[in-house]
Amino acid sequence: MEKHILVIAQYFYPEQFRINDICSEWVKRGYKVTVITGIPNYPLGKYYKGYGLFKKRKETYNGIEVIRIPLIPRGRNSIMLALNYLSFVISGLFWKMFTKIKADYVFIFEVSPMTQALPGVWYAKKRKIPCYLYVQDLWPENVEIITGITNRKIIGAIGKMVDYIYSYCTKIFTTSNSFVTSIESRGVSIEKIEYWPQYAEDFYKPLNKIKENKINEDKIIIDEIPNDDVFNIIFAGNIGTAQGLAILPKTASLIKEKNPNKKIRFNIVGDGRYKEELVKIVDENKLTDMFNFIPKQPATRIPEFMAASDAAFLCLTGGPLFSKTIPAKLQSYMACGIPILASASGETDKIIKESGSGLCSPAGDYEMLADVIIQLSNESPQRLLELGVNARSYYENNFNKQELLNRIDKYFE
């Protein structure tokens, strides 16, 4: 008889998160998978076309039964975001009380908010079944940094909720080794915590980059990125405050000042709450010749954009929390075999250096970032190819999809 995994994930297809692929793989491996999620509205904060409180609340995606419980869209301000978080929990409470679903395991995919884990914990307690939590964002640390809330009573209350969730989980998986240490420091047994890094979907792979171990100077040509002699840097993903992209206009201004003849273009692919502000800053600083804003694309097209670029950029804001974080796009970039430029500290910096896949400057240091961008843009095509090969090799050795899924399988046996 097939085992039934109940997945709790506030964000799910058509929103672009890795849980979509994890669930699809579990179906291929013979599991029955049901996902309890919200009405898609990330990252722009409004319901996706065709979805709503009375539309498309149940559907099937890649053999997965998807049930969408009511929630308020996240909007574009902190009040709406708080209501978005709260509404999912309240809807989840009522769903738990009346659902007739009989699952064998609960798997919670926790990107912020941590509150989304509560319906899963409550369901697992009610059914007396194992509950697995996959921590992508640390709480309450994430709340303090993203929202600016420092009131100790509020943070203390959130901390108690987090401890409650941890206490009722059978196993806690984390996306970085530093997260293991942080969760253990809250009094959670180390035997209960396991580092389980993210992988990239199968469509993330090198395109037109390697040919018989020789330089292949032909690049994929796509309409969105001009095929010229400019050094193209790509950023693909959500454009929010946590991504720290405010550093780029400062960096671009410095590059222009120090190297007026250097041709560098930042291709920013995606959307998010900070995009409008970023475009405005670029315009005000007369940097439009160095920036190319491209609308959000299907994830399956991103490897094309990388193959048309010379390097991929990722960025995290400074501080102890983000130094512990390994952003999902790092695995995506590495899987595509592209040199990496990063403005990040801690875990991300360590992986880039260990893999020999690119150059990293400390988070928030725009002067150093300008220097490493100039340095990479001066490298030979052969050296750029080597960096890309190193990235792909490290990915295969450390973030192999099938091996990682096999590790999870043992908990479902």
Side-chain angles (χ1 to χ4, degrees):
M1 184 177 175
E2 64 181 0
K3 296 290 186 179
H4 187 180
I5 305 170
L6 177 71
V7 174
I8 308 294
Q10 187 165 328
Y11 314 103
F12 194 74
Y13 177 85
E15 294 161 315
Q16 293 179 9
F17 285 84
R18 209 131 274 164
I19 188 61
N20 302 344
D21 192 78
I22 293 173
C23 290
S24 300
E25 290 297 322
W26 282 339
V27 169
K28 290 177 187 175
R29 288 175 175 235
Y31 297 105
K32 178 181 178 182
V33 180
T34 302
V35 174
I36 305 301
T37 188
I39 301 167
N41 67 107
Y42 180 91
L44 290 181
K46 56 185 180 181
Y47 294 147
Y48 282 31
K49 188 177 179 180
Y51 292 87
L53 291 170
F54 304 103
K55 289 188 290 185
K56 224 170 181 180
R57 291 276 301 281
K58 286 188 178 182
E59 63 179 315
T60 301
Y61 167 74
N62 285 353
I64 305 154
E65 183 184 1
V66 182
I67 299 170
R68 304 186 184 279
I69 59 178
L71 91 172
I72 295 169
R74 56 195 284 125
R76 285 189 171 270
N77 60 59
S78 55
I79 294 173
M80 290 299 293
L81 190 61
L83 290 172
N84 172 260
Y85 291 177
L86 184 62
S87 60
F88 186 84
V89 176
I90 294 171
S91 294
L93 174 62
F94 282 101
W95 167 83
K96 184 268 300 184
M97 290 167 60
F98 298 108
T99 185
K100 294 181 180 178
I101 291 173
K102 294 181 179 179
D104 298 294
Y105 315 99
V106 171
F107 184 91
I108 303 163
F109 183 79
E110 184 273 321
V111 290
S112 288
M114 176 73 84
T115 48
Q116 68 174 293
L118 290 169
V121 169
W122 294 333
Y123 176 88
K125 281 179 66 180
K126 178 183 176 183
R127 291 275 302 160
K128 295 182 174 61
I129 58 174
C131 182
Y132 302 113
L133 176 68
Y134 192 16
V135 177
Q136 317 266 312
D137 290 334
L138 281 180
W139 274 45
E141 297 92 328
N142 199 277
V143 177
E144 289 189 76
I145 289 169
I146 299 300
T147 67
I149 294 172
T150 55
N151 184 291
R152 299 331 294 170
K153 287 186 178 179
I154 295 175
I155 297 300
I158 293 171
K160 286 181 180 178
M161 176 200 72
V162 170
D163 293 337
Y164 167 82
I165 291 167
Y166 287 161
S167 69
Y168 281 101
C169 287
T170 312
K171 193 80 177 177
I172 300 166
F173 302 102
T174 72
T175 54
S176 81
N177 279 307
S178 295
F179 279 17
V180 173
T181 306
S182 294
I183 294 170
E184 185 189 11
S185 72
R186 300 192 68 86
V188 180
S189 168
I190 189 65
E191 286 78 22
K192 196 175 183 177
I193 317 165
E194 183 174 326
Y195 168 52
W196 191 59
Q198 300 191 75
Y199 64 79
E201 292 87 344
D202 292 333
F203 55 78
Y204 285 108
K205 58 187 176 183
L207 297 178
N208 211 29
K209 284 285 188 183
I210 302 168
K211 196 174 187 181
E212 297 176 357
N213 294 320
K214 295 178 182 177
I215 299 172
N216 177 14
E217 295 181 352
D218 297 327
K219 284 188 176 181
I220 286 182
I221 298 173
I222 56 176
D223 294 336
E224 293 87 348
I225 297 179
N227 182 32
D228 49 23
D229 61 346
V230 175
F231 188 81
N232 277 301
I233 300 169
I234 183 170
F235 171 91
N238 181 44
I239 305 169
T241 52
Q243 282 67 41
L245 292 178
I247 197 173
L248 282 184
K250 293 180 184 178
T251 304
S253 292
L254 194 58
I255 291 172
K256 210 168 194 177
E257 179 188 324
K258 288 185 173 181
N259 300 267
N261 297 320
K262 179 59 78 172
K263 296 179 179 179
I264 289 172
R265 180 188 296 119
F266 297 100
N267 300 284
I268 312 295
V269 184
D271 219 324
R273 295 155 71 92
Y274 184 66
K275 183 175 181 178
E276 192 176 315
E277 178 68 16
L278 182 60
V279 172
K280 182 183 173 185
I281 294 169
V282 167
D283 289 342
E284 287 175 350
N285 288 276
K286 297 180 173 56
L287 295 167
T288 51
D289 59 319
M290 293 184 70
F291 284 83
N292 176 26
F293 289 97
I294 300 167
K296 183 180 176 183
Q297 300 292 318
T300 50
R301 277 207 70 202
I302 298 303
E304 295 176 31
F305 286 84
M306 294 201 203
S309 302
D310 299 290
F313 177 69
L314 70 85
C315 185
L316 291 172
T317 52
L321 173 62
F322 291 110
S323 70
K324 300 173 184 177
T325 302
I326 302 173
K329 62 171 54 63
L330 179 61
Q331 279 91 341
S332 302
Y333 290 170
M334 295 187 104
C336 286
I338 185 170
I340 298 170
L341 279 164
S343 173
S345 303
E347 293 262 1
T348 300
D349 175 49
K350 179 184 172 186
I351 289 174
I352 291 171
K353 285 176 178 171
E354 196 175 89
S355 61
S357 58
L359 299 174
C360 191
S361 61
D365 190 335
Y366 71 93
E367 293 179 334
M368 183 73 80
L369 178 59
D371 288 341
V372 298
I373 288 173
I374 294 297
Q375 183 183 336
L376 194 68
S377 69
N378 289 332
E379 294 286 2
S380 67
Q382 177 66 53
R383 178 58 182 153
L384 293 176
L385 181 69
E386 287 173 8
L387 294 173
V389 170
N390 290 347
R392 178 67 194 187
S393 176
Y394 189 90
Y395 174 83
E396 290 172 348
N397 291 329
N398 294 272
F399 307 123
N400 182 277
K401 174 178 172 176
Q402 296 307 323
E403 289 180 11
L404 288 169
L405 288 169
N406 290 343
R407 275 174 53 189
I408 288 288
D409 266 354
K410 69 183 181 183
Y411 295 103
F412 296 151
E413 290 173 356

